[in-house]
Amino acid sequence: MARRIDVTGADGVRLAAWEYADPPKETEPLRAAPGVLFLHGLTGRASHWAAVARRLAGRYRTVALDQRGHGRSEKPPQAAAHSRAAHVEDAAAAIEQLGLGPALVVGHGMGALTAWQLAAERPELVRGLVSCDMRAAALGAASQREWAQWLRSWPVPFATLADVHRWFGEDDPRVERPDPARGAFYAEVMREGEDGWRPVFEPEQMLRSRETWVYDAHWEDLARVRCPALIVRGLDGELGRAEAQEMVRVLPQGAYAEIPDAGHYAHYAHPEAWHSAVEPFLDRITGDRAAG
């Protein structure tokens, strides 16, 4: 089960956070458990972490955040509201208001960037971080143009949810081979309206958000992270092995994990393999020897 908790982010933006437990517990032992904050990627939402968070909920206090512009969180229209600083402040607010700190922060894609920038800016809030398939190198203008073209190519509105599954899992030109998990991933970010199914976020807002980090390299942010950090990549993901290993080298306490037969959505498509790669790292930080 998941319990919604509202968080007030930067500039008063309302954020929806989800605490996972089965069933939700209010006991002191759970409150005293190590906190884990999950941050989704650019086209994600908190629910993409549900399976992972539930598995860890027996020993950790697990919370996933719908970041601004996503899921059930507020979607401010101003371009300035989607800055890097705002995302980092939102994550800090979630940790502080929910009493998670110092937390283990686990991010995917853009959420991973937020995680390591938070660790660099507010080290007292982060005891360890996991970065899943996010690059430190600058991606540049060509990448931004490709993303703009891709987002605008979505055949919205989709007539049915089955059409969503099929397009993102098979028909999308970016799909090299059928990928049902990818179809399911994107089905979770759709909502039904009078004319069909559309994303719960505004694609143009996502492009503005991406503009705040896509042109810059982030090696200096990594070098400022003092807590233990795990760089995770799927073998077929967007982060190459050489760049991932350089990220580990730059991190003062870096470690590396690779998930075979997985791509960009490894935590969602291959949760068991993800757990095998990540749980020992989390348990080592918290001193939990009863992992299971």
Side-chain angles (χ1 to χ4, degrees), residues 13-272:
V13 170
R14 181 190 55 78
L15 306 171
W18 306 87
E19 183 168 5
Y20 290 88
D22 191 16
K25 301 179 180 69
E26 293 293 342
T27 61
E28 283 304 314
L30 181 65
R31 289 286 168 181
V36 184
L37 179 67
F38 294 96
L39 301 173
H40 60 74
L42 183 66
T43 57
R45 66 184 304 175
S47 64
H48 286 141
W49 287 110
V52 166
R54 287 191 180 103
R55 170 151 174 176
L56 292 173
R59 292 177 295 110
Y60 295 90
R61 186 174 171 219
T62 57
V63 175
L65 182 68
D66 271 334
Q67 296 178 81
R68 59 178 55 216
H70 297 79
R72 297 191 183 179
S73 289
E74 192 174 347
K75 300 167 177 61
Q78 309 92 335
H82 299 276
S83 67
R84 280 283 82 219
H87 282 85
V88 172
E89 289 176 32
D90 288 348
I95 292 173
E96 291 176 323
Q97 292 171 33
L98 302 180
L100 296 175
L104 299 159
V105 185
V106 181
H108 172 239
M110 180 193 73
L113 175 60
T114 300
W116 79 57
Q117 289 180 331
L118 173 66
E121 294 291 333
R122 299 289 305 276
E124 76 281 6
L125 295 180
V126 184
R127 69 163 71 184
L129 72 88
V130 178
S131 173
C132 303
D133 210 51
M134 179 60 188
R135 299 184 61 186
L139 303 183
S143 172
Q144 185 70 356
R145 287 194 298 270
E146 290 170 4
W147 262 78
Q149 292 169 2
W150 177 60
L151 286 170
R152 291 162 187 163
S153 75
W154 293 10
V156 293
F158 293 91
T160 69
L161 201 55
D163 291 330
V164 175
H165 280 268
R166 184 166 52 252
W167 196 81
F168 287 100
E170 300 177 24
D171 298 340
D172 182 349
R174 293 175 61 135
V175 176
E176 295 181 359
R177 56 184 180 274
D179 188 349
R182 188 175 187 269
F185 182 96
Y186 281 97
E188 286 200 35
V189 298
M190 297 291 163
R191 64 181 168 205
E192 187 176 19
E194 293 182 359
D195 60 348
W197 293 81
R198 296 177 180 273
V200 295
F201 51 76
E202 294 295 333
E204 291 302 319
Q205 283 188 358
M206 297 305 99
L207 286 175
R208 290 199 296 270
S209 178
R210 196 172 188 268
E211 282 179 349
T212 65
W213 52 265
V214 72
Y215 302 116
D216 300 318
H218 304 285
W219 299 104
E220 291 184 5
D221 291 325
L222 282 177
R224 294 167 58 210
V225 173
R226 297 299 166 183
C227 65
L230 180 67
I231 301 299
V232 182
R233 66 176 291 267
L235 208 57
D236 298 321
E238 297 177 9
L239 175 62
R241 181 180 286 125
E243 184 176 348
Q245 292 176 344
E246 180 62 12
M247 291 169 69
V248 172
R249 189 193 68 78
V250 168
L251 283 160
Q253 296 191 67
Y256 176 73
E258 190 169 276
I259 302 176
D261 303 319
H264 184 59
Y265 310 101
H267 65 292
Y268 184 84
H270 301 277
E272 289 300 319

